[in-house]
Amino acid sequence: MSGTGQASCHHGEILQGVFLDARGRRCAGLVTLPLAGLGTRAEAVIRPGVPPGTHSVHPPDRTKALRAAAIALRECRARRPQAPFGGLELRLDGDVPLGLGMGSSSSDVIAAVRAVADACGVRLPSRTVARIAVRAERASDPLMLDGRPTLFAQREGRVLEVLGAALPPAVIVGCALGAGRPVDTLALPAPACDDDDVRGYERLRALLRRAIAEGDTRLLGHVSTQSARRAQRVLRHPEFDRLSRVAERTGAVGVQLAHSGSVAGLLFDPAAPDLRARLGRCVLALGRAGIPVTRTFTTAAPVEPAQPRTPLTTIQESRHGRAHRRRDRTPRSDTDRRRAHLSAL
């Protein structure tokens, strides 16, 4: 028995911090910036003649994905006892740069879970995929959801709030700080967060909700910039001031960062006059500032057909469909420390 699964990635965060859940309890949460065109494809093969628990993964160092696949296999057997027993072989292919804060690990994990579910003939709801992902990697990006702007508790695998239907329209000039070197997110110190910080994050949450409701690109840029400045207390990117000056000089509405990586972006209003000229000046200014440009993209990427927009309930969940292909490449190690090569503008 075999199955396939697909998961996309993101370009860092629009907002990340500590928020209050429906019970007034503090909870770490984030809102990611979706990025279409990159992702992980997984293939899972269950071999009945191999003893159960005999699992393997290729590449062999994708241990988080293998751990998630094994948990998913147990989940599927609990839901469908007639699902095949045996050893599991997992193969991953993808093109998400590693260690840059683009959700490469979550993409691997979610694609693996979907592949196992497909092999077992089970459709796992998003809340279950989220729970498995958190068990496998301690914290997960919300790549199992349908792309709507969502405040997601990454360490608990649950949705705190669906903020609206789609982010306001924006054109993003992506770049890489720290010369594109991967970031060890687990080595980052935990940021201190007092009552004033929580109130500040809640204000940004309300502003982001308003920006989405009104389609206000400038307000979106304001929220992402303020969130990025708060993240600098931990990340301490030496290029951040240069990035901010380029944004001011070229008419960007704001900047955004991967709060656990090195990708960054400058946000532009697509309705701005002379947009192409602004983008050109931005690219040149970033180059002069020693910040490599990686890609331009927009917030207008369509929701994947395999992820239909269904009503979001308790976890505001959607169910995953059968995977589809994107372009593939052999992924590198979870802990690779080589400089990542992102596609050029």
Side-chain angles (χ1 to χ4, degrees):
M1 299 290 291
S2 65
T4 59
Q6 173 78 33
S8 61
C9 69
H10 61 80
H11 197 268
E13 284 71 37
I14 290 291
L15 175 62
Q16 181 168 346
V18 177
F19 305 88
L20 299 178
D21 67 8
R23 299 179 179 178
R25 184 173 61 91
R26 289 187 182 186
C27 187
L30 51 80
V31 180
T32 56
L33 177 60
L35 177 63
L38 301 179
T40 301
R41 181 178 181 275
E43 180 182 10
V45 178
I46 302 173
R47 300 198 181 279
V50 178
T54 305
H55 304 323
S56 65
V57 62
H58 180 80
D61 46 18
R62 294 303 171 99
T63 55
K64 294 177 184 177
L66 182 60
R67 185 159 57 244
I71 298 171
L73 188 57
R74 292 195 295 270
E75 182 75 32
C76 290
R77 286 172 177 162
R79 291 167 178 260
R80 186 172 181 263
Q82 66 269 36
F85 284 81
L88 171 66
E89 295 179 7
L90 179 67
R91 298 185 67 88
L92 300 171
D93 290 294
D95 48 13
V96 185
L98 301 174
L100 303 187
M102 297 176 69
S104 60
S105 178
S106 292
S107 183
D108 286 352
V109 163
I110 294 164
V113 171
R114 289 174 169 171
V116 169
D118 189 31
C120 293
V122 175
R123 295 177 66 83
L124 295 176
S126 294
R127 65 164 174 254
T128 303
V129 178
R131 172 171 54 80
I132 294 171
V134 169
R135 284 184 62 188
E137 57 172 341
R138 295 170 52 183
S140 175
D141 294 311
L143 304 178
M144 72 294 295
L145 303 177
D146 67 359
R148 276 176 280 186
T150 301
L151 182 62
F152 184 74
Q154 70 271 23
R155 297 174 187 169
E156 301 178 24
R158 62 188 179 100
V159 170
L160 300 177
E161 181 183 357
V162 177
L163 297 164
L167 290 173
V171 178
I172 299 96
V173 177
C175 55
L177 307 181
R181 288 185 295 271
V183 173
D184 184 356
T185 57
L186 296 179
L188 293 174
C193 191
D194 57 22
D195 290 343
D196 287 339
D197 290 315
V198 175
R199 284 191 289 268
Y201 285 123
E202 284 293 333
R203 283 193 294 271
L204 291 178
R205 174 185 185 174
L207 289 175
L208 182 55
R209 188 189 304 121
R210 185 178 125 200
I212 292 168
E214 299 176 359
D216 190 330
T217 305
R218 287 194 170 273
L219 188 53
L220 173 71
H222 171 76
V223 171
S224 66
T225 300
Q226 293 305 311
S227 182
R229 292 189 184 281
R230 288 172 176 267
Q232 270 295 97
R233 294 182 294 187
V234 173
L235 296 175
R236 302 185 186 279
H237 288 301
E239 308 99 327
F240 184 76
D241 289 341
R242 279 177 276 159
L243 185 76
S244 300
R245 287 194 293 270
V246 170
E248 293 172 3
R249 291 199 304 267
T250 58
V253 298
V255 300
Q256 62 91 207
L257 293 179
H259 289 218
S260 58
S262 56
V263 293
L266 289 81
L267 282 67
F268 289 84
D269 188 340
D274 302 322
L275 176 64
R276 292 183 66 86
R278 291 173 188 248
L279 297 177
R281 290 196 299 271
C282 176
V283 171
L284 291 174
L286 288 171
R288 288 194 294 267
I291 302 174
V293 175
T294 56
R295 58 174 52 81
T296 55
F297 62 100
T298 74
T299 57
V303 174
E304 299 174 8
Q307 310 293 323
R309 287 194 174 185
T310 57
L312 298 182
T313 54
T314 307
I315 183 182
Q316 279 81 353
E317 69 190 14
S318 64
R319 295 182 181 273
H320 77 275
R322 190 172 181 91
H324 59 284
R325 292 176 182 267
R326 288 183 182 168
R327 63 180 187 271
D328 299 325
R329 75 163 172 83
T330 301
R332 298 190 181 98
S333 162
D334 282 334
T335 57
D336 196 339
R337 287 294 174 263
R338 289 174 290 185
R339 177 174 174 176
H341 296 280
L342 280 70
S343 55
L345 174 67

